[in-house]
Amino acid sequence: MQACDNGRVADQTPLKLVHAQVSGVLAPYQHEIPFDAESDYIIIYGPNGVGKTKTLEVIDALSRLDGRKLCQLPFTFAELHFTDSYRITATLREPESDEDSPLSFRLYRGRRKICDWPFSNQDGAEWLSENTPWEPFDDDYWHNIHT
């Protein structure tokens, strides 16, 4: 696995989504959606039950790198293409697979892979407790143990 190169200064140009592909939506379906980089709107239509809404949910979750949401959605592979030749993929494996994480991300620019990383499905509360000075108390409250 290659780690992301954090030593570079990121280009500050906003990227626009130009193409999305989601496979294994609700098991048998694959959807490809071209987006016009010059337009702010797109209309998606089709018969009921073919995964239009789930496809949009996958696109939204992948664009936000929301691994927790992606792990709950019915798909196997998604790829988003952006302007400037960037693309990001998410692959969701069966829970029974031998992989440590059921979800993995990859970021590319053109054909060159920039980085890849697994999604750690660690509980957010558990992560906060282990990696920050914040601890839970009561049911809905947290406090900083250093203050």
Side-chain angles (χ1 to χ4, degrees):
M1 178 184 323
Q2 177 184 349
C4 294
D5 183 3
N6 293 328
R8 295 185 181 167
V9 176
D11 183 2
Q12 298 298 316
T13 305
L15 300 176
K16 283 197 95 171
L17 181 62
V18 295
H19 188 265
Q21 173 187 337
V22 182
S23 301
V25 180
L26 300 174
Y29 300 108
Q30 175 176 324
H31 297 293
E32 290 194 40
I33 304 170
F35 293 85
D36 181 355
E38 303 303 317
S39 178
D40 291 333
Y41 300 97
I42 186 169
I43 297 173
I44 299 172
Y45 61 94
N48 290 342
V50 297
K52 296 178 302 292
T53 301
K54 294 299 177 192
T55 296
L56 292 174
E57 289 176 8
V58 169
I59 292 169
D60 175 62
L62 180 52
S63 67
R64 294 181 295 108
L65 298 178
D66 186 346
R68 208 172 292 289
K69 178 72 174 178
L70 285 167
C71 285
Q72 298 170 359
L73 290 168
F75 81 104
T76 55
F77 177 80
E79 182 171 50
L80 303 182
H81 293 254
F82 296 91
T83 52
D84 287 350
S85 301
Y86 283 100
R87 63 188 166 100
I88 188 161
T89 67
T91 304
L92 186 63
R93 291 180 245 340
E94 294 295 323
E96 300 85 31
S97 76
D98 293 337
E99 300 290 327
D100 291 339
S101 172
L103 178 65
S104 62
F105 295 103
R106 285 194 174 154
L107 177 64
Y108 298 86
R109 184 158 193 194
R111 293 182 179 265
R112 185 176 66 89
K113 181 173 68 171
I114 297 172
C115 63
D116 60 357
W117 67 99
F119 170 70
S120 172
N121 199 12
Q122 187 177 30
D123 177 58
E126 179 183 334
W127 185 90
L128 280 172
S129 294
E130 291 177 6
N131 297 287
T132 70
W134 291 89
E135 292 291 329
F137 76 96
D138 204 8
D139 285 334
D140 298 319
Y141 299 101
W142 289 75
H143 70 100
N144 185 330
I145 59 174
H146 295 302
T147 58

